[in-house]
Amino acid sequence: MPAGDYAATRYSPLDQIDVANAPRLHPVWSFSTGVLGGHEGQPLVVGDTMYVVTPWPNVLYAFDLGRPGYPLKWKYRPNVSRAAIGAACCDVVNRGAVYADGKIIYNLLDGHTVAVDAATGHPVWETKIASVADGETVTMAPLVIGDRVIVGASGGEFGIYGWIKGLDLATGRVVWTGHNLGPDAGMLIKAGEFHPPYVSGTELGVRSWANGTWKHGGGPVWGWISYDPKRDLLYYGTGNAGPYDAEQRGGDNRWTSSVLARRPEDGTLVWAYQFTPHDSWDYDATGAMVLADLTIGGKPVPALVHFDKNGFAYTLDRSTGRVLVAKPFTHETWAKSIDLATGRPVENPAMQTGDTKGNVKGICPSLEGGVSPASPPAYSPQTHLFYTSTNNFCMDYKVHQIAYIKGTPYMGVSSPYTPGPGGNLGAFIAWDAATGRVVWKDKEPYPSWSGALVTAGDVAFYGTLDGWFKAVDARTGKLLYRFKVGSGVVGAPIAFRGPDGRQYVAIYAGIGGDWALLAGDTSSDDPTDLRAPNPLVKNLASRTSQGGMVWIFGL
Amino acid sequence: MRPQRTLSWRSSAARWAVPALLGLVVAGSRGATPTHAPVIAAPGVANPAHIAAGGRPPPGPVVQNPYRGEPAIAHAGATLFVSMHCSDCHADAAAGAVGPNLGDGRWRYGASDAAVFRSIYYGRPRGMPAFGGLLGAQGVWVLVTYLRSLPPPPDLPTERFTQH
C-alpha cells in the first residue's frame, strides 16, 4: 500500500542498510518515465514487480525485479483527458497506487479510478468518480480496506463540494459517497453514531457556513488514507475551505481543514476534529494521519499524529479525536497555541485575513504549509520518533471577494512568499510526538518537499528540492550518504527486499507539485512559456530542472 | 505584482455581477472610443506559420481587435483578468503558474491578436476554459488588449545565475 502499512508509518523492518554501511550506498538502477511534472508519491513493490505511476498522463509501469536490468513486464497507458490539466490547481501529480486482490488500483487526473490486473496489465474495471467540469481532479493515493477502495478528489481551489467515496473492490461500483461538509445526510452522519470530541448538535456542516456557502466550500481529499483494524476506523484529512476570502463564508466551515474518522464498509462518520476553524490561510489538513501507539505521561495511548500545514503537529487519541499534544514544529505566527480544553487555536488577531483586511503581512507558515501534505512523514517504533520534511517561509496575503464560475479557480488571492527566520527555507526534522518537541533538525537551503522513510537499520531517507537524495542517522540526523539524482525530489522513498534477498531503497526524481512555489524557470520544455525566477527559491533553477526518473539504491 | 485596479468589484450577487462588470467595461470603452464597432465573427487562421504547404491562407473572416493599443481598455482588462479568475491560473500579471506565462511575448497558439482571442473565446485543449459564452466578444477583446499591453521582461531569453 502507498505508505507501507495501514498505519501510514512509512517504516520498513528491513535492516541490511544500517548506520554503519549506509555511506557505501550507491545507485544500482534508474529509469526515465518519459514524463515531466512533479513525481510525487512512491513506487509500489509487490513480490518481484515494482509498479510506478507517473504524473498526467498517468502511465503505469511494471518492472520485473527478477531479471537483470529490471526490464518492463508491461506498461498501461490510459486515455486521460488533457482538459484535466487546467483543472489541477498546482501540478498534474499522482500520489501512487495500491495493490489488492491481484489488482493495481490508482486514480487518473481526469476523475477516474482504474483497476489493472497486476500480472498482465490488462484493465479490470474503470469507474468515473469525479467531474472535471465541476473542478474536480484526482491526485490522491487510494487505499483498499476489505472490499472497499477509498478514494477522494482535489478541487479546494475550484469550489467543489468535497467528498470521499468507497468503491467495490471487485467491480469498481461506487458503494457510498460521504461529503466532508454540508447536510448531515450527505456526510453519512447517522443518529447516535457521530461523536465529535468538542462540539455537539446536528447539521454542523450547514450551520457553520453563512448563506449556504458550503455548496462551493471545497473540503477536498487529496492526500492519504490510514486505517486502524482494531477500531475499524479509516482516517483522512480534508483540504481548505473556499474561496480564499474567508469573510465570504462566515462560521467555522466544518469539516474543512479537519481529520475525519469513518467506517470503511458504509462510510458512516464516527468523529471529526477541525485543526483550523474558518480557515483563512489555505491551511489544508490533507497531510497523512499516522497511527502509532505512544506513551504519553506514562500512559499508553492509541495516537494519531498529524503534521498540519498550519505549522502545528497534533497528537490525538484516535479513538475519540481528542487532542493530547499540539505544538509548532516550524516557525508560525497565526496562533499562540492550541487550547487542549476546547481543541481550538488561540489565534493572533493581527493575522486574520479577508477582503476588508487588506494586505496582511508576515503570516507564517505560508499557504504552502509548514509542511506540504504531499510530503508524508515516517514513524519508527524503534526510535519512537517521527521524521518529516518542513518548510520555513511566510507570506503576505491579500484576498478579494470573488464570484463562483464553474470550472474555473475559486480563489481570489495574491500571496507572495518571504523567507522565515534562520536563513534556511526548509528542514528535515525528527519529532517527539509524545512531548511535542524537535529532537534534531537538518536544515535545507530550499523548502523540503519530499516524503520520509525510516528503517529498522535506524536510517532515515529523504530528498531535496535541489536534487539530492539523502540518508541520515535516524537518532542524530547525521548525514550518511547523498547522491545527486538530477531533478528535485518531491516523492517519497521506499525500502524493499529484492528477489535476490537484498535490501534496496527507491525514490523518484522529478521536481513539481506546485508551480506557484517551485520556480517555473526549472521548466525548459515549452519555448512559448518562459518563467521568471522565483525570488524566494533563488538560484534553484541553477541546480535542477524538471525531470522524471526512478532511482534504486543498494549496497 | 498585480496591476493596480481602477474598477472595484464588490458584489456578492456573484453570478450576475460578471455581465454587469462587462457592461461597465464596454460602456466605458464606448464612451472613450465611439468609432469602434464590436466584431463578433470568429477569427480565421490561428497560426500563419503553419500554412506554408498550401502557399496561402484558406479564406476566412478577417478579425481585428477593435481596441488594439488603447491604454484605458488594457487597464480595464487588468481588472477583468483578476475578476474572471484568469490570475488564479496564470498568476498575478499573467507571469505563469499552472497556466503559461502570458506576458513573455511568446504564444503557444500563435502571436496574433486573433489567435489570443481564439484561445480565450473557445478555450484550449490543455484545460483552458472557453470564456466566450460568459464574456462575449467585447469582453474577450478587452482581455486580449490587456495581455498584449504587457511588456516582455528584458532578460529573455537568457537567464544568468549568480552563485553566492
Side-chain angles (χ1 to χ4, degrees), chain A residues 56 81-91 158 216 355 398-416 515-516 521 526-533 538-543, chain B residues 1-2 5 9-12 14-15 17-18 82-89 92 95-102 104 106-109 124-129 131 134 153 155-157 159-164:
Chain A
W56 183 94
S81 167
R82 241 172 247 280
I85 296 170
C89 71
C90 315
D91 191 7
F158 283 75
H216 294 297
D355 181 78
K398 184 167 181 283
V399 293
H400 57 268
Q401 281 191 25
I402 191 163
Y404 176 77
I405 304 174
K406 180 175 158 154
T408 72
Y410 192 43
M411 296 169 67
V413 67
S414 178
S415 58
W515 293 118
D521 59 336
D526 186 345
T528 65
D529 182 13
L530 297 190
R531 309 288 178 91
K538 204 172 174 184
N539 276 342
L540 181 58
S542 76
R543 299 188 162 94
Chain B
M1 289 291 285
R2 173 165 291 160
R5 286 183 281 156
W9 187 46
R10 292 282 186 275
S11 170
S12 58
R15 190 176 299 270
V18 173
V82 173
S83 63
M84 292 307 294
H85 309 180
C86 313
S87 60
D88 289 319
C89 281
D92 294 350
V98 71
N101 185 351
L102 304 175
D104 56 4
R106 301 183 177 198
W107 301 93
R108 187 179 286 171
Y109 300 106
R124 291 292 182 184
R126 288 173 67 88
M128 169 68 189
F131 284 91
L134 206 52
D155 56 347
L156 296 176
E159 181 178 359
R160 296 186 72 243
F161 301 94
T162 307
Q163 303 299 333
H164 50 92

Side-chain angles (χ1 to χ4, degrees), chain A residues 27 70 84 159-160 200 226 391 400 531:
Chain A
Y70 306 158
I160 69 164
S200 59
S226 48
N391 295 323
H400 57 268
R531 309 288 178 91

Side-chain angles (χ1 to χ4, degrees), chain A residues 273-281 283 308-312 314 328 330-338 343-353 362-366 370 395:
Chain A
Y273 168 71
Q274 190 171 43
F275 299 104
T276 311
H278 188 60
D279 165 36
S280 308
W281 308 273
Y283 286 156
D308 200 90
K309 253 176 140 183
N310 71 19
F312 284 84
Y314 296 76
T330 189
H331 180 65
E332 63 84 22
T333 60
W334 72 281
K336 199 177 135 201
S337 60
I338 309 298
R344 295 186 74 92
V346 181
E347 295 184 14
N348 177 353
M351 295 294 132
Q352 298 294 312
T353 73
I363 300 168
C364 315
S366 80
M395 66 177 171

